[in-house]
Amino acid sequence: MLSRYISTTAIILSFFHFDCSQLGSLSNGTSSEQQLMQTLVLGVAAKEGCSIQSLTPISNTLSYVHPKRTRYDIQNCSPSDLEGLGFTGNTANLEKGLSGNSSDSFFSSLGNIVLPSSNGGTNLEVSFSLKSGGSLTAYVYGSGTPISGPAFRLTDSTKEQFYSEMSGNFEVVSKGTAALSTDTNYTYCIDFQYASSEQWINAWPKACSEVTQTERNSMMMFPVMQMMSVPAYSGNRIGFILNGAKLTSFTIGSILSQVD
């Protein structure tokens, strides 16, 4: 019986490639194949709408950027599922979806899932909606519990915001779009970029796959940008605060900007 189990497992694993150095890099196969790998490797049964998937990377002309993308589909996750995806949080203040209604509705990665700043930084794509008066805050290169550090906030009351190292508060970005509407599905593509010992934030209010080469090749074409007072990228975790927000998926990958 044991030998049969080992043989069966070996046959299954032979169909896939897994890099244990990165939690999200489960395979480049189909969604069902990747769910199987999540079950085998993480010991947690993957389910539709609550899984990790390695996506086709978006290429970049900057030589030090090493393209990769890992998607976390959480639209059908319960708070108790977070640990199986490599995250932890204040589950008592989170609801299935995932959604939350206060500043105490937060979750963050258990380990290092950001890309090295030497590779140009980390891109974060988020798909979400807001309630009236709500906001979604995303931390990248963060640390501590609850997580803190470089952050980007989306609200229904102002243009995009960032955490200012100078003021110690969230401030409106120097170049942004507009306040968001409530009960509307949005996707944002956000670069936490690093080059020449400087860090800054760029963003596009759409899916990363929809950002054109023209929009990536000139800072003048970045619709959202913040160059000054962004905190140092000293941490290695990613986290979110769902204060009147529902987050259905997020993707972690290499930056889209091709300007340094």
Side-chain angles (χ1 to χ4, degrees):
M1 180 67 70
L2 178 60
S3 61
R4 182 183 300 173
Y5 172 80
I6 294 173
S7 298
T8 302
T9 303
I11 291 171
I12 293 172
L13 291 176
S14 68
F15 286 102
F16 307 100
H17 301 283
F18 180 75
D19 178 3
C20 292
S21 66
Q22 292 293 333
L23 179 64
S25 300
L26 292 175
S27 100
N28 289 315
T30 65
S31 176
S32 59
E33 287 171 345
Q34 294 195 35
Q35 288 180 16
L36 175 57
M37 281 303 294
Q38 181 176 324
T39 303
L40 290 171
V41 177
L42 299 180
V44 178
K47 60 184 180 182
E48 195 69 30
C50 187
S51 61
I52 306 170
Q53 183 180 8
S54 182
L55 303 180
T56 301
I58 298 175
S59 61
N60 196 298
T61 58
L62 297 175
S63 61
Y64 51 81
V65 175
H66 304 299
K68 68 173 299 179
R69 282 170 66 75
T70 302
R71 182 174 187 265
Y72 293 75
D73 182 1
I74 58 173
Q75 60 184 318
N76 195 36
C77 283
S78 297
S80 59
D81 294 322
L82 283 172
E83 188 172 353
L85 298 178
F87 285 77
T88 186
N90 191 351
T91 56
N93 286 280
L94 293 169
E95 300 174 5
K96 185 176 181 178
L98 285 167
S99 63
N101 296 302
S102 74
S103 58
D104 291 326
S105 304
F106 62 84
F107 69 97
S108 58
S109 61
L110 287 165
N112 177 12
I113 57 173
V114 299
L115 277 65
S117 58
S118 59
N119 290 352
T122 295
N123 174 274
L124 179 67
E125 180 180 298
V126 290
S127 294
F128 65 99
S129 61
L130 300 175
K131 297 179 181 179
S132 178
S135 66
L136 170 68
T137 305
Y139 289 87
V140 177
Y141 296 106
S143 60
T145 303
I147 193 169
S148 62
F152 188 77
R153 177 174 287 175
L154 297 152
T155 80
D156 70 343
S157 59
T158 69
K159 294 191 298 183
E160 299 87 353
Q161 299 179 333
F162 76 106
Y163 182 79
S164 169
E165 183 178 44
M166 181 175 293
S167 69
N169 293 300
F170 280 87
E171 307 286 351
V172 173
V173 295
S174 58
K175 181 183 180 182
T177 56
L180 304 182
S181 300
T182 58
D183 301 317
T184 302
N185 295 326
Y186 288 98
T187 298
Y188 261 72
C189 179
I190 311 159
D191 273 353
F192 285 75
Q193 187 169 356
Y194 183 89
S196 303
S197 301
E198 297 290 339
Q199 63 274 350
W200 66 95
I201 297 173
N202 320 304
W204 298 264
K206 54 184 174 181
C208 293
S209 60
E210 298 175 0
V211 180
T212 67
Q213 290 293 317
T214 300
E215 292 174 308
R216 300 172 62 189
N217 289 339
S218 170
M219 288 185 176
M220 296 294 292
M221 297 299 294
F222 295 169
V224 181
M225 192 172 185
Q226 179 61 42
M227 296 287 293
M228 306 297 292
S229 298
V230 176
Y233 294 170
S234 56
N236 61 8
R237 293 165 54 215
I238 284 176
F240 302 92
I241 297 177
L242 312 181
N243 188 359
K246 181 175 184 178
L247 180 64
T248 56
S249 72
F250 58 95
T251 301
I252 302 166
S254 50
I255 62 167
L256 262 70
S257 169
Q258 297 183 143
V259 182
D260 58 2

